[in-house]
Amino acid sequence: MSDGTIVRPYGDTTGDGMVQTSFTLPVPPGPRADGAALQLAQKMGIEPAMVVHSHGIGGGGGTAGDGAAFTFFVVYGSVRHLVDLAAVQVEERAYPLLSPSEVNAAIKTRLRRSLVVLGACIGTDAHTVGIDAILNLKGFAGEKGLEYYREMQVANLGAQVGVADLVRTARDRRADAVLVSQVVTQRDAHLRNTRELAGAFREAMGESRPLLVVGGPRFDPAMAAELGVDKVFGRGTTPGEVASYLVSALVPAEEPA
Amino acid sequence: MSGKLALNPVLVARARELAARAAAPVVELAQAHTTVSVERAVLRLAGLTGTDPVTGDGPEQDRVPWVNRVVDAVRDQVGLESGVALPVWHALTSGAAGSLPELAEQVGAGTARFAVPTDPEPAREAARAAVAAGIAWIDANRARRDELVTTLGDPPRRPWIYLIVATGDIHEDIPQAQAAARAGADVIAVIRSTGQSLLDYVPEGATRTGYAGTYATQENFRLMRAALDDVSRELGRYVRLTNYASGLCMPEIAVLAGLERLDMMLNDAMYGILFRDINPRRTFVDQRFSRMVHARAGIVINTGEDNYLTTADAVDEAHTVTVSQLLNERLAHEAGLEDWQLGLGHAFEIDPDRPESFRLELAHALLARGLFPDAPLKWMPPTKHMTGDVFRGYLLDGFFNLAGVLTGQGILLVGMMTEAVVTPWLSDRDLALRNVRYVLDAAGNLAEDFHPQPGGFIDRRAHTVLAEAVDLLERIADHPQGLIQAIADGTFGITRRSPDGGKGLDGVVRLAPDAYNPALELLEGVRV
């Protein structure tokens, strides 16, 4: 452990280790509930911990009323754990971030045709906010969506597209990449849907299948291989990141001879 | 409240006239067609329930309802151009079956034979009597609601606090809904299982296995209403129950809501088309029938304009909300709903990083209030700009609540700071209700002192949006296909939907001159 790689949370003084957290216990409010919260905080590594606030939930005649079966806590304290920055593992971006004009130039000079991108929401999810943020001209986080990229031919199929339809459309339009977004999900439906998607493309098109990219707030970007897709984007992904990835994955590195 | 803005009465009148013109082709379309779901709703009003046991070994909710089996059989044998009532009650009056359930059994066994009678009078009379019994039940529920509101009382103030419950399991929903009511909720909405709107049947029975919501079934409606009646008595105020009549089964769900005394229903003229890709024709036919049933049942509808702003920019597209509200109002009035039944929707979705965002929100909310002074507007919380920063989200929800009381909103859907993070935790709901209560207690009567400067920022912004709405309505009204073409052009919420695309078109049937729908006859009989 070399100098500078060990850090602790910062409240108002270097090394004070201060954190704040909140949680609910299924215990009626009172000294016993606060004691239970302190015990949990200590087991979480917060020592000393302070229960700075607690109130009952679920009592009759208003949340603070009698008979509450639950207690909500806000806890502050110093956490005894250390963070070793040298041991932190993140998936570093393995491709350069390009501006829209760089993306267009790369496609034009090195691919020498339009890059065909299909987007859709699959399963029963009707929330197109994710795919729209990436594809719509309007874009997201100050970046224009892929429709803005002159050298890309983008089709947004919208919500609740069947996997079979998506495969057919991808084949008919000779899609280079298929982008699938899933926002609302429960009981890991997003993972099940993604595996189904990957399986359907593998079965129908084998090696010649388009690049498969999925995204949504509940995905873990490290899961691509496990899910059978090429790339997984998590929360907060911007259109520019997706465009840059598509270039790195689909456009030859050098200009063809 | 309507006097906060001095809206130009000529422009307001022009907007309503254009909305009526734009909606006229849709009404004609609805009058000239029926759908499989409208016909199934007729059978439900006549009391046909249950599922065909041979259509699955699993739980009852996975089996095909009898109403679907009968309507499909009639369609296969004689078509639906005359409606389902004549062939079905002809089979009953001619002695082929003794009762509707017995006839359904024959359909299940493959022995039922349907024909459109040459003398329709006996079948018409029998069908009318059978359906009238269902409508009488709906009327009795409406009277019962009025009685409960009178004896128990309404919420002490506006806006009514609307809270969502949805676990997927009706038996989990019930204690959560009761707890929410005790914590101050005036209206409980049970969100449906994701994708139920795309099922072309209504599942049967009490269900415990929904995804991100609980199936809308008649039994689930009954169980939840009974549980809320209990808690209403405990609290001394009538707690209202909401569900969703959008999707492929709007007419049937509307009937079930009336039969089980639900109090509010989500019912938007265009939501299914735009956000669920349901065929526009199917939607408009189903929507008209469902709204006629809601009108009769005394149910308050909630429209879905908030959804537009989750896909389109809340400032640039603010006028599309106004246009949709005007169209929803027109189509609702046409179906017999009165102003007090119109929970027209709008939302607090302007980017909080935009300068003056709160003043813009106030302008939009006051415009809706001024245009629809007698409607209980449904005010929807921020979702699009809830980023996972729960602290900022809590502040934003506070401003949303403040805008709600300042502009006299009727129904306030409680915003969750954990929107876009998790389905609400117990503590999230509690904190959200504390936020609402603080604002209502601290500033509930501030509307009295709030008078935007004539010609000031808010006043000017409201006029701009109204003028943009009138421009857009002109373009819609001038098109020969009116509203349907506007939807195909992507006027609302960016999505484009063609009149021949989407799900459920094969369930739409053009009516023949001899068509007979006893429910329409009875429902239309009282209005006009």
Side-chain angles (χ1 to χ4, degrees), chain B residues 6 22 62 68 107 120 140 143 181 264 266 270 383 402 418 431 487 502 523 527:
Chain B
D62 295 337
N68 287 62
V107 167
M264 289 189 189
L266 276 281
M270 291 177 286
T383 60
L402 181 60
T418 49
L431 290 167
I487 291 167
L523 293 170
R527 27 188 229 106

Side-chain angles (χ1 to χ4, degrees), chain B residues 130-148:
Chain B
V131 168
I135 290 178
W137 187 253
I138 289 176
D139 290 344
N141 274 332
R142 181 176 181 158
R144 175 75 180 138
R145 180 193 304 115
D146 290 345
E147 184 189 319
L148 285 168

Side-chain angles (χ1 to χ4, degrees), chain B residues 247-293:
Chain B
L248 287 168
C249 293
M250 277 175 124
E252 293 171 87
I253 300 226
V255 164
L256 298 180
L259 292 174
E260 300 302 338
R261 191 169 30 88
L262 269 64
D263 307 284
M264 289 189 189
M265 293 297 280
L266 276 281
N267 184 308
D268 190 88
M270 291 177 286
Y271 171 80
I273 301 169
L274 297 173
F275 294 90
R276 293 288 185 181
D277 197 13
I278 294 172
N279 175 262
R281 300 176 206 274
R282 172 71 179 262
T283 297
F284 286 124
V285 180
D286 283 349
Q287 179 247 159
R288 181 168 185 266
F289 184 94
S290 66
R291 286 183 172 193
M292 291 172 72
V293 176

Side-chain angles (χ1 to χ4, degrees), chain A residues 211-235:
Chain A
L211 193 75
L212 295 179
V213 179
V214 301
R218 304 283 281 274
F219 281 107
D220 174 357
M223 289 187 76
E226 190 185 328
L227 295 172
V229 298
D230 297 295
K231 181 74 183 168
V232 172
F233 284 108
R235 175 183 294 279

